[in-house]
Amino acid sequence: MQENTNENMEANYRKFIQRIVETESVWGLTHDETWATSSSAEYEDAEVILFWSNADGAKACAEDDWSEYKPESITLVEFLENWCVGMYGDQLLLGPDWDASLVGREMEPLVVALDVVQELKHKGKTIEFTQYDSQDEFEEQVIEALEGEGEDE
């Protein structure tokens, strides 16, 4: 069995970003409108909402406490606009492509959003946002929010 080293976790994260940009969809586990979350292993009192780049990854984690949860997909735009931005506001972390033993990276949602936008640009893709005028405007606002984190406004 492969160890989950930082290097492997980084490689898995890069694959997550590439896959969701390629398919323009993101997967979660839901049950009665509730999304699967986990307590953070890194931060006390922090919650992590889990997302996967495909249904199989989500389905592999649908056991024990989540045995009644089912994989559900959302669009990449919904993931960026509603989830990443909303989770940032709620101070939640994002768990991309955790494995069946519930091990994976815990990420700031806006960092993930910025990585997605940069991958879109790298692939020459543009997606249609509903709450922002353009992909560029979304990227600018994410960068501003990330830069402003250390400042008192």
Side-chain angles (χ1 to χ4, degrees), residues 98-147:
W98 281 21
D99 65 20
S101 55
L102 298 183
V103 174
R105 290 185 73 179
E106 297 178 8
M107 305 283 302
E108 291 287 341
L110 291 187
V111 170
V112 175
L114 191 56
D115 286 345
V116 168
V117 170
Q118 288 171 344
E119 181 67 16
L120 283 164
K121 286 189 345 193
H122 175 73
K123 295 267 197 229
K125 288 179 93 170
T126 306
I127 56 175
E128 199 68 35
F129 284 82
T130 58
Q131 298 171 29
Y132 297 85
D133 292 335
S134 67
Q135 193 167 294
D136 289 340
E137 184 200 359
F138 178 79
E139 180 181 23
E140 286 168 22
Q141 296 216 2
V142 167
I143 290 169
E144 268 179 41
L146 287 169
E147 288 174 349

Side-chain angles (χ1 to χ4, degrees), residues 48-52 87 93-98 105-107:
V48 183
I49 299 183
L50 306 181
F51 292 95
W52 292 269
M87 289 169 63
L93 296 168
L94 194 151
D97 271 349
W98 281 21
R105 290 185 73 179
E106 297 178 8
M107 305 283 302

Side-chain angles (χ1 to χ4, degrees), residues 83-99:
W83 287 93
C84 290
V85 172
M87 289 169 63
Y88 168 74
D90 293 340
Q91 297 184 321
L92 295 164
L93 296 168
L94 194 151
D97 271 349
W98 281 21
D99 65 20

Side-chain angles (χ1 to χ4, degrees), residues 22-113:
E22 193 177 298
T23 62
E24 294 187 22
S25 64
V26 183
W27 291 82
L29 281 175
T30 62
H31 177 65
D32 292 338
E33 306 288 317
T34 302
W35 284 69
T37 64
S38 178
S39 295
S40 170
E42 295 179 43
Y43 305 99
E44 199 174 320
D45 297 330
E47 282 290 306
V48 183
I49 299 183
L50 306 181
F51 292 95
W52 292 269
S53 57
N54 58 44
D56 291 342
K59 195 178 282 186
C61 295
E63 43 190 52
D64 299 326
D65 289 349
W66 298 337
S67 61
E68 296 194 8
Y69 284 64
K70 301 280 180 252
E72 182 176 320
S73 73
I74 56 174
T75 66
L76 188 58
V77 168
E78 185 181 353
F79 174 70
L80 293 171
E81 289 185 329
N82 299 341
W83 287 93
C84 290
V85 172
M87 289 169 63
Y88 168 74
D90 293 340
Q91 297 184 321
L92 295 164
L93 296 168
L94 194 151
D97 271 349
W98 281 21
D99 65 20
S101 55
L102 298 183
V103 174
R105 290 185 73 179
E106 297 178 8
M107 305 283 302
E108 291 287 341
L110 291 187
V111 170
V112 175

